[in-house]
Amino acid sequence: NAGVTQTPKFQVLKTGQSMTLQCAQDMNHNSMYWYRQDPGMGLRLIYYSASEGTTDKGEVPNGYNVSRLNKREFSLRLESAAPSQTSVYFCASKRGQGNEKLFFGSGTQLSVL
Amino acid sequence: AQSVTQLGSHVSVSEGALVLLRCNYSSSVPPYLFWYVQYPNQGLQLLLKYTTGATLVKGINGFEAEFKKSETSFHLTKPSAHMSDAAEYFCAVSDGDSSYKLIFGSGTRLLVRP
């Protein structure tokens, strides 16, 4: 019963470095999401993938890219990290659209120095 | 576009007291509304959701919320707070059947005093 698995759990980067956050779900969900959580701002949607082969921008996509590798995996890439990207990142998934429950991973705490 | 406003970034109650966490939404279509809870160092978990039908929705751990269309509100309540309820609570809205996006409020941290 793994659910949504995110790696790594913690990461420290220097400004300008790149990295990829990995996310995988084993629930055969169609939709996958990347959120960032910042104090006082709640969760903000970075990108989402409604189904395999599609990706769309959320509220705060600048500085990020995503890849829906297959139905299970949805990665988030920071090409040139900036201190403003210091945050906790959550991956989530759900079966489809509308009123369905989101399942969350346990998060990645990223610090950019 | 839909949006969610949670009044009060922090709410403090005594153990055994009523919990009331406020949420107001803006949506151009009949919304789907959710409350999620986040315990320390964990991801979010669904507490309850409103889709259609009965406007009073019961969730896990004794929480409930009432959808009031006239007030565009979906406040979360629990009659008697327990120490284990201390967490951060997020209200969220989805724009109807065909929406894939879930938009979250800024969150309310609930503190429970012994």
Side-chain angles (χ1 to χ4, degrees):
Chain A
N1 292 339
V4 179
T5 303
Q6 289 182 237
T7 55
K9 292 190 181 301
F10 302 94
Q11 184 71 49
V12 178
L13 293 177
K14 294 181 180 178
T15 298
Q17 287 185 316
S18 62
M19 80 159 296
T20 300
L21 279 64
Q22 307 286 353
C23 175
Q25 51 89 12
D26 62 0
M27 296 171 283
N28 201 34
H29 285 170
N30 291 302
S31 305
M32 297 186 72
Y33 303 78
W34 278 104
Y35 288 89
R36 61 177 288 173
Q37 183 179 25
D38 301 291
M41 304 188 75
L43 275 77
R44 293 181 292 169
L45 182 62
I46 305 172
Y47 271 93
Y48 68 102
S49 171
S51 61
E52 186 178 357
T54 69
T55 60
D56 286 284
K57 295 178 180 179
E59 302 170 74
V60 288
N62 291 343
Y64 305 95
N65 286 300
V66 291
S67 296
R68 184 73 182 266
L69 304 170
N70 48 55
K71 192 171 186 179
R72 289 187 63 248
E73 298 173 286
F74 188 41
S75 63
L76 178 71
R77 183 161 179 83
L78 287 69
E79 290 291 351
S80 179
S84 61
Q85 295 178 304
T86 294
S87 187
V88 180
Y89 291 85
F90 286 99
C91 178
S93 71
K94 62 178 177 174
R95 187 179 55 174
Q97 58 194 5
N99 65 344
E100 296 179 16
K101 172 183 174 181
L102 264 179
F103 292 79
F104 281 83
S106 56
T108 296
Q109 190 166 327
L110 175 67
S111 295
V112 183
L113 306 177
Chain B
Q2 69 273 42
S3 66
V4 174
T5 301
Q6 291 184 242
L7 293 177
S9 59
H10 291 80
V11 170
S12 180
V13 300
S14 297
E15 192 173 18
L18 171 72
V19 175
L20 170 61
L21 305 181
R22 299 178 185 274
C23 172
N24 289 88
Y25 70 91
S26 171
S27 177
S28 56
V29 298
Y32 294 134
L33 294 159
F34 306 78
W35 277 99
Y36 281 80
V37 61
Q38 184 182 29
Y39 298 104
N41 300 314
Q42 296 184 25
L44 280 69
Q45 306 169 35
L46 181 66
L47 263 183
L48 51 80
K49 67 178 181 181
Y50 168 78
T51 55
T52 57
T55 56
L56 183 62
V57 180
K58 294 187 183 299
I60 61 172
N61 300 336
F63 284 93
E64 61 184 36
E66 187 171 11
F67 171 60
K68 293 187 176 180
K69 184 177 179 181
S70 61
E71 299 177 7
T72 60
S73 69
F74 190 57
H75 301 331
L76 181 71
T77 60
K78 182 175 180 177
S80 177
H82 191 272
M83 296 298 291
S84 61
D85 294 327
E88 191 155 19
Y89 293 80
F90 293 92
C91 184
V93 63
S94 172
D95 243 3
D97 277 337
S98 61
S99 174
Y100 291 94
K101 292 192 293 184
L102 195 62
I103 302 301
F104 285 85
S106 56
T108 298
R109 185 168 296 278
L110 177 65
L111 307 172
V112 182
R113 304 185 303 271

